[in-house]
Structure formats: structure tokens, C-alpha cells
Amino acid sequence: MITFDFGAVLVDWPLLLRGAGMTVLLTAVSATLGLALGVACAWARLNGALPLRWAATTYIELIRNTPFIVQLFFVFFGLPSLGVKLTPEWAAVIAMVINLGAYAGEIARAGIQATPRGQIEAARSLALSEAQVFIRVVLPPALARVWPAMVGQIIIVMLGSAVCGQIATQELSYSANLIHSRNFRAFEATFIATGMYLLLAVLLRQALQWAGTRLLTVRK
């Protein structure tokens, strides 16, 4: 007879909340920096000089065709051999930013390429600089077009942060595994962690959709 004892896991609710808080923090920082990196890569691929385009393309293809956990291990275990020592949290942030930046770059590029040529020419006729045209005219509607896809990618990165516990980053999955190691309630700990990830994903999607409608000018 199998018996379940969720109370044995929930008694350590402060540990679970700290893990969830770390997951939210990792996601917030990596989403902000990753989106900025993605936009920079999209601009480089479309408007940059040839070496810059090659560099951006190589980076995007490399990251999109390798597993996230390999990228995480490379940052945490590989960089120290070059003299760069990182805490688990900083290694997780860097790996998540690098991963999100590559995918966000392709998503942003698709939105930028959908911008009507006449809209860009009209902006240039107003004597705006190329930077002003890109930031004020091209980028906001481009992001608005692809925002649902961008939101989905951010959530994927947030869920992927669960593997960061492999390098002792004290996020949600790390907390669940720690509780499991104490009371041997693997099913209950995993079940509760899964529910918390589901809740975080739903709340994050709602928050990002709200932010998109408030901050982005929708021009299709």
C-alpha cells in the first residue's frame, strides 16, 4: 500500500518559497538582458557590417543547436579554467541570458523584417537618424508583432532554469530535491514543485502579456 504525505514536504514551505523566489529573480534578470541581447543580434544580422553579421549568425546557430545544460556547464565549469570564477547564481544568469538572446534574436528579426518598407522611408524623410528610426519606428511595432512568441520563449527559459540546480543554484528544483533528500518523499516533492512551476508559468505569461499591451505600440 502506497501512502502519500504531502505535509512532510509542505512543512518546509519557506525553503520552497525561497527557491521559487530565486527562480523568479533568475528569470527577471535573464529576460531583461536576454531581450536586449536578442534585439542587438537582430539588428546586427540585418544592418550590421559583414563581420558583425557573421558573429551574430555564428552565435545564434551555436546556441540554438546545443543543449542548454551543456551551455550551463560550459559557463560554470569551463570559464573557471580560463580564470573566470562565478557563483552558481551568476553562472545560471549568464547561461540563461546567452540562451534566451539567441532565440530572441531570431524572433525579433522576424518582427523587424515584417516592418513595411514605406514606414521606414517615411521616418527617414523626417530627418531621423538610423538609430532613431530603428528604436522609435521599427522596434516597437516589430516587438508587438512577435510578443506572443517572445513571451513563450521567456517561459521556456524560466522552466529550463530547473536544470540550474545541477550546479547548486538554489532555485525551485534545487529546493525540491533538497527536501526529497531529507524525507525521501520524492513523488510529493516533485508533484508540489511541478505545481509551483505551473503557477509561475501562468502568472509570468499574464504579467508579460499585460506588459506587452501597456508598453508596446501595436502596429500590424
Side-chain angles (χ1 to χ4, degrees):
M1 180 68 67
I2 299 176
T3 59
F4 299 108
D5 185 7
F6 290 96
V9 176
L10 293 175
V11 73
D12 285 320
W13 62 266
L15 184 58
L16 290 170
L17 287 183
R18 284 198 298 270
M22 177 57 68
T23 296
V24 171
L25 179 61
L26 292 174
T27 303
V29 176
S30 61
T32 302
L33 299 179
L35 287 177
L37 178 59
V39 169
C41 288
W43 178 88
R45 292 198 67 182
L46 294 173
N47 303 307
L50 185 59
L52 196 57
R53 291 202 301 269
W54 283 353
T57 300
T58 301
Y59 155 69
I60 289 173
E61 292 302 319
L62 177 64
I63 297 303
R64 293 177 71 211
N65 291 286
T66 54
F68 172 66
I69 194 169
V70 174
Q71 300 162 17
L72 178 66
F73 285 172
F74 178 82
V75 172
F76 187 68
F77 297 111
L79 291 184
S81 65
L82 302 177
V84 181
K85 296 183 179 180
L86 300 168
T87 64
E89 290 74 23
W90 275 111
V93 167
I94 292 172
M96 291 170 68
V97 168
I98 291 173
N99 184 269
L100 177 59
Y103 288 92
E106 284 298 275
I107 295 172
R109 185 168 70 97
I112 293 170
Q113 287 181 318
T115 302
R117 191 67 185 176
Q119 185 174 327
I120 298 175
E121 295 299 331
R124 287 172 176 167
S125 69
L126 298 176
L128 296 178
S129 66
E130 289 299 320
Q132 290 174 322
V133 171
F134 181 78
I135 294 173
R136 297 184 180 182
V137 178
V138 176
L139 189 58
L143 288 179
R145 293 186 192 95
V146 299
W147 191 244
M150 200 73 80
V151 170
Q153 191 58 46
I154 293 173
I155 292 174
I156 289 173
V157 170
M158 186 272 289
L159 297 176
S161 69
V163 304
C164 295
Q166 298 297 316
I167 61 170
T169 305
Q170 297 182 21
E171 41 73 54
L172 180 55
S173 69
Y174 177 92
S175 298
N177 289 332
L178 181 59
I179 294 172
H180 161 222
S181 70
R182 292 175 176 175
N183 56 28
F184 304 103
R185 291 291 177 177
F187 177 83
E188 292 91 330
T190 303
F191 185 87
I192 291 174
T194 300
M196 294 180 71
Y197 274 115
L198 176 61
L199 179 61
L200 288 176
V202 171
L203 293 177
L204 178 60
R205 184 181 299 276
Q206 294 296 325
L208 290 175
Q209 288 176 344
W210 176 85
T213 58
R214 293 293 299 271
L215 301 177
L216 298 175
T217 301
V218 180
R219 300 174 188 172
K220 299 183 179 178

